[in-house]
Amino acid sequence: MTYKQEVSNYYNARTNYDNDVTVNRAVALFDYATPSPGQWVLDVATGTGNVAIKAAQKVGASGYVIGIDIATELLKLAQQKIRAENLSNVELIEIDVEAYQPESNKFDAIYCSYAIVLFPNIPKILENWYHFLKPGGFIAFTCSSENSYLALSIVEACAKHGITLPNIHKPLGTPERIQHLLTQTKFSQIEIHPRQMGNYLSLEKAQSRWNGQFWLHIDNPLRKLDPQIISLIKVSYDDEIAALETEQGVWHEELIYYVVARKK
Ligand SMILES: C[S@@+](CC[C@H](N)C(=O)[O-])C[C@H]1O[C@@H](n2cnc3c(N)ncnc32)[C@H](O)[C@@H]1O
């Protein structure tokens, strides 16, 4: 199975994707950057269309929104929601972000909520977005700190068994790295707004957060590992987590960076 198939299978199975948390965290992007009536918007990895629908309401009948994704089942849900809202200014396209090549200077705004780290070549995607934008247009996306979702404990547990697990959150996992990648791509007026959505979990809950296997990354070495070694890594992960326990429980970080940047 290719990496892209693995990603689309995973999301196709999540037809219960929408809930208050997933919807609110996506539309929170509009707290930092909003399109104006009449504008053209691209929602990359639109999923169930939460950002695309909100954008369509903002740009109105004289504007237009395109949502792209590779998960057929989530796009079907998005289509149902668009129909229920009676919106005629949103179009959904089933396509890989890497294959989508509209003409240059087409969009006023490009959104990408909770998906950018899933793209294998982020610098290339940012470069593409820069070209798709009109001068003065903006990108608005989310990414997570490199220790969100107990990522460093997972990586450390793997390292103890000689396995190098690439941390999916690392490339955009600090404000400095975000800033660096965006300036490299010529974006300006970069804003990084951190939002802490983490909480304390019981030890059992924190330990159950990782099952010893799943990690959506193109170079995930765990896919090919013997299940016996995986179980040993899982034991190390549980030990790592136990060492983090405090009186309040285990801190489960979810530090989300809401990022906005503009094309001059
Ligand atoms: C966590 S969901 C976010 C969905 C939506 N943006 C939201 O916040 O409600 C991640 C989405 O990224 C999509 N995705 C992952 N890789 C993709 C790719 N290469 N091209 C297009 N979509 C992709 C998945 O199919 C999934 O719908």
Side-chain angles (χ1 to χ4, degrees):
M1 199 189 329
T2 66
Y3 169 66
K4 296 284 169 68
Q5 278 167 336
E6 193 181 341
V7 172
S8 63
N9 287 352
Y10 174 73
Y11 285 104
N12 275 330
R14 289 184 66 186
T15 45
N16 61 350
Y17 182 83
D18 280 346
N19 57 49
D20 284 352
V21 172
T22 54
V23 174
N24 291 338
R25 70 185 191 183
V27 297
L29 274 168
F30 294 90
D31 293 350
Y32 306 107
T34 303
S36 306
Q39 289 195 322
W40 276 67
V41 176
L42 174 66
D43 179 23
V44 176
T46 190
T48 57
N50 293 318
V51 169
I53 289 169
K54 182 91 173 171
Q57 289 159 346
K58 299 262 183 204
V59 299
S62 59
Y64 201 69
V65 179
I66 296 177
I68 64 166
D69 204 289
I70 49 172
T72 325
E73 298 308 316
L74 296 196
L75 287 174
K76 281 186 198 159
L77 293 172
Q79 197 58 61
Q80 283 169 15
K81 285 157 67 179
I82 290 164
R83 236 177 272 129
E85 294 280 335
N86 233 341
L87 291 165
S88 54
N89 59 344
V90 200
E91 177 185 346
L92 300 176
I93 305 175
E94 186 176 330
I95 190 167
D96 183 343
V97 63
E98 288 183 332
Y100 183 63
Q101 289 296 335
E103 63 267 31
S104 297
N105 303 340
K106 185 181 173 85
F107 294 102
D108 300 282
I110 298 178
Y111 287 89
C112 185
S113 157
Y114 282 81
I116 193 168
V117 296
L118 297 169
F119 308 152
N121 190 346
I122 297 170
K124 179 70 191 148
I125 294 299
L126 289 172
E127 201 180 298
N128 287 347
W129 290 352
Y130 191 85
H131 291 300
F132 303 166
L133 277 183
K134 295 177 190 169
F138 67 81
I139 55 169
F141 66 87
T142 62
C143 49
S144 311
S145 76
E146 63 185 344
N147 194 28
S148 284
Y149 313 108
L150 300 165
L152 294 179
S153 302
I154 300 172
V155 169
E156 186 54 37
C158 290
K160 282 201 174 133
H161 296 268
I163 308 291
T164 307
L165 181 66
N167 181 348
I168 195 167
H169 301 296
K170 190 166 181 185
L172 291 167
T174 66
E176 293 71 28
R177 277 182 226 137
I178 298 168
Q179 184 87 26
H180 178 71
L181 262 174
L182 289 171
T183 38
Q184 249 186 351
T185 331
K186 298 196 284 191
F187 279 103
S188 57
Q189 290 176 256
I190 300 163
E191 297 167 35
I192 302 169
H193 303 276
R195 266 165 104 132
Q196 180 58 263
M197 305 191 189
N199 58 343
Y200 281 98
L201 300 178
S202 69
L203 178 60
E204 296 68 36
K205 204 150 192 196
Q207 287 173 330
S208 72
R209 280 299 166 119
W210 189 57
N211 64 6
Q213 176 76 65
F214 183 71
W215 189 261
L216 273 178
H217 187 285
I218 192 159
D219 296 318
N220 183 347
L222 300 175
R223 285 199 209 98
K224 297 169 211 127
L225 270 193
D226 191 307
Q228 276 177 328
I229 299 177
I230 299 270
S231 332
L232 293 175
I233 300 174
K234 171 67 174 137
V235 172
S236 296
Y237 168 78
D238 288 349
D239 291 346
E240 291 279 327
I241 298 297
L244 296 178
E245 194 183 20
T246 66
E247 271 177 18
Q248 290 146 292
V250 176
W251 173 246
H252 181 260
E253 178 156 306
E254 261 189 80
L255 178 57
I256 312 303
Y257 299 117
Y258 283 78
V259 182
V260 180
R262 291 182 186 271
K263 175 173 176 172
K264 273 198 200 105

